[in-house]
């Protein structure tokens, strides 16, 4: 029987990229440990639970989905599904340019009157 591991990742947008990097290293370390020739079956580590809040939840979901269905997508340190969302895909310009954040003229006029 394997050793069970539960991982809980805190929320905090500014820590999201750090937490994703730590998660990558934990997965890598577990993989090396489990595949080592001296590791006995009962010494193998299995992630049993992974959860998180806010940014940690995003990292937990990405990790769980990839480990279950596409573990190889987490193998390259700079081209993996934990690195990409926090380091390559995030763009403040894209967030600020969203129509959802752009008030229409009527809303602005109402604010000025109040």
């Amino acid at each position: 029987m394997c050793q069970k591991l539960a991982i809980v990742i805190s929320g905090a947008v500014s820590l999201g990229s750090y937490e994703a990097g730590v998660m990558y290293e934990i997965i890598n370390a577990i993989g090396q440990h489990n595949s080592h020739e001296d590791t006995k079956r009962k010494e193998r580590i299995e992630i049993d639970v992974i959860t998180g809040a806010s940014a940690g939840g995003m990292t937990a979901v990405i990790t769980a989905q990839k480990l279950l269905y596409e573990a190889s997508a987490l193998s390259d340190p700079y081209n993996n599904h934990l690195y990409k969302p926090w380091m390559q895909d995030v763009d403040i310009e894209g967030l600020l340019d969203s129509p959802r954040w752009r008030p229409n003229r009527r809303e602005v006029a109402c604010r000025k009157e109040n």
Side-chain angles (χ1 to χ4, degrees), residues 9-51:
I9 307 170
S10 70
V13 173
S14 59
L15 290 177
S17 59
Y18 170 78
E19 293 168 338
V22 169
M23 193 71 248
Y24 171 82
E25 291 299 332
I26 289 171
I27 291 167
N28 190 24
I30 291 171
Q32 288 182 30
H33 170 79
N34 288 349
S35 64
H36 194 276
E37 62 187 40
D38 293 339
T39 301
K40 298 175 183 139
R41 181 166 169 74
K42 66 179 183 178
E43 296 172 335
R44 291 175 51 91
I45 300 169
E46 180 179 287
I47 299 173
D48 191 40
V49 176
I50 183 164
T51 188

Side-chain angles (χ1 to χ4, degrees), residues 12-13 16-17 20 55-56 58-59 62 82-90:
V13 173
S17 59
M58 179 177 145
T59 297
I62 292 168
L82 288 171
Y83 182 84
K84 286 180 182 179
W86 293 108
M87 302 305 292
Q88 292 175 337
D89 297 342
V90 69

